[in-house]
Amino acid sequence: MINVAKLEEMEARLPAYPSLYGICILRHGQLLYERYFHGCTAETLMDLRSATKSFTSAVLGTVHPVQQNVQNSLLDGLKGWHSERSYDLEDLLKGREDGSLKRTMTLHHALSMTSGFQWEVGRKFGEKHIGGLHHSEDWLRFILEQSMHGELRGHFQYCSLDSHLLSIYLSDTTGKSMALLAEERLFHPLGIQRYTWEADPQGHTQGHVGLSMAIRDVAKLGQLYLNLGMWKGSRLLGESWIRQSWTAHSAEVTEHGRYGYQWWNQIIQGTMVHFALGHGGQYLFVVPSKNLVVVMTSNPKVSRWKNPKHLLASFILPAVQHSE
C-alpha cells in the first residue's frame, strides 16, 4: 500500500518549489504520480544539465560491458583521431610535466572523476572555467591543456572534462557519435523517440550536459537500471556495469553522498538511493529496495533554487516506507 496522505501532503508543498517543472514517480514500473508546472507537459523536452552524465555512463556501458576494460588507457583510444583532427595528441603532451600522467589516465579515472585535473568547483558544483570549454574552438585541445596533478589522481574532483572525454573516446573508438550509439543501443530499444543531444564543435556529443528529454523517457533509464539492465526480456546493459556504476569509488561528498561511474550514491532516510544530478534541480532517483524510480526536472537557468531533493526524503520515501 502507498501512503496517499504523504503524497497529498507533498503536493500541498509543491508551490514552495517555484523552479520545479515536473515530477514523475514510478513504482514496480507503473506510473504512480505525475505533475507538471509553468506550462510544461509530458511532451516537454527537459534540459537535464549534468544529469546527462549518467546517460553517458550508460552508453559507455553498452560498448564496454566487461569490468576490466575500464582500466584501458583513455588517451590510447583517442590516437586513431578523426580525419578533421589536425594535430597529433602526442604533440600536445610533449614537453608537459603532466604528459605521462595524462597518458596513464584510464576510463575508470574519467568515469569516477578521479583523473587528477586541477579544476575549480564551488560547493554546488559550479565549475569556474566551464565557459572556457564551451567557448573554445576545440574542446579536446582545451581539456588536454588543463593541468593535471599526481597528488589529485585517485581523489574525487567534480569535473565535467572527464565526462566529455568519455564521449570523445566513444566516437574515436567506434566511429560513431555517442548520440548515435545511444539511439542504437538504448533509446530505440527503450522506445525513446523524442530528444535532443548537443555536440561540441568537432561533432562529439556533449558528455557532461546537452541532453534534453521528456520526463517519462528519463524514467525509462531509471527503470532499466532498476531492472539491472533488462528491458522487456532483452538485456541492454550488463548487471556488473550497473553495480559498478552504483559502487562508491571515492570518499563521501557532503550533502551528495559518494560518486560511482557518473552516478551519485547516498543513504537517504536509511535507504540507499542512486541518482543522476543536474544543475537547478534535475534528478533521476533509483531506489532498488523500494522498487522506485523518481524524476524531477526544474528550471536549468537559475543561479539559486530550493532543492527538490528534499521532497524525496520528506514525502516520497515515507510514502512507500512500509509498502511492498
Side-chain angles (χ1 to χ4, degrees), residues 123-196:
R123 187 174 64 86
K124 291 187 177 181
F125 302 132
E127 299 171 272
K128 182 176 181 180
H129 301 294
I130 196 67
L133 172 70
H134 292 163
H135 291 100
S136 65
E137 295 182 356
D138 188 317
W139 288 18
L140 176 59
R141 191 175 198 122
F142 176 91
I143 291 171
L144 293 182
E145 287 175 346
Q146 304 309 301
S147 296
M148 183 177 282
H149 297 282
E151 63 271 20
L152 300 177
R153 172 67 56 83
H155 299 281
F156 175 79
Q157 168 64 69
Y158 190 80
C159 182
S160 288
L161 306 183
D162 288 333
S163 304
H164 191 59
L165 277 176
L166 294 172
S167 174
I168 298 174
Y169 173 88
L170 278 170
S171 58
D172 270 27
T173 54
T174 67
K176 298 179 179 181
S177 71
M178 186 170 66
L180 180 56
L181 291 169
E183 170 68 28
E184 294 175 347
R185 297 167 179 252
L186 285 176
F187 296 166
H188 179 71
L190 291 173
I192 299 173
Q193 299 178 339
R194 298 177 58 253
Y195 64 92
T196 62

Side-chain angles (χ1 to χ4, degrees), residues 167-292:
S167 174
I168 298 174
Y169 173 88
L170 278 170
S171 58
D172 270 27
T173 54
T174 67
K176 298 179 179 181
S177 71
M178 186 170 66
L180 180 56
L181 291 169
E183 170 68 28
E184 294 175 347
R185 297 167 179 252
L186 285 176
F187 296 166
H188 179 71
L190 291 173
I192 299 173
Q193 299 178 339
R194 298 177 58 253
Y195 64 92
T196 62
W197 204 339
E198 298 175 12
D200 73 8
Q202 282 66 50
H204 300 293
T205 307
Q206 294 184 14
H208 58 307
V209 293
L211 179 61
S212 295
M213 184 177 287
I215 281 185
R216 291 185 188 179
D217 286 338
V218 176
K220 289 178 180 179
L221 184 76
Q223 193 64 41
L224 175 66
Y225 271 68
L226 186 64
N227 297 341
L228 296 177
M230 297 297 295
W231 184 263
K232 295 183 178 180
S234 298
R235 177 161 295 285
L236 304 185
L237 268 176
E239 179 177 338
S240 62
W241 182 265
I242 292 173
R243 295 196 183 281
Q244 277 295 305
S245 300
W246 287 350
T247 296
H249 296 289
S250 54
E252 186 169 359
V253 178
T254 304
E255 298 181 11
H256 297 283
R258 302 175 71 183
Y259 208 63
Y261 281 170
Q262 308 285 294
W263 282 84
W264 288 99
N265 310 278
Q266 185 178 26
I267 295 176
I268 301 175
Q269 295 292 324
T271 302
M272 176 55 75
V273 178
H274 313 287
F275 61 96
L277 165 63
H279 174 82
Q282 327 306 324
Y283 281 103
L284 167 58
F285 298 104
V286 182
V287 191
S289 67
K290 305 301 177 185
N291 218 313
L292 187 69

Side-chain angles (χ1 to χ4, degrees), residues 34-47:
E34 187 177 33
R35 296 290 185 276
Y36 294 95
F37 311 95
H38 304 294
C40 297
T41 70
E43 301 301 315
T44 303
L45 299 184
M46 306 290 189
D47 182 351

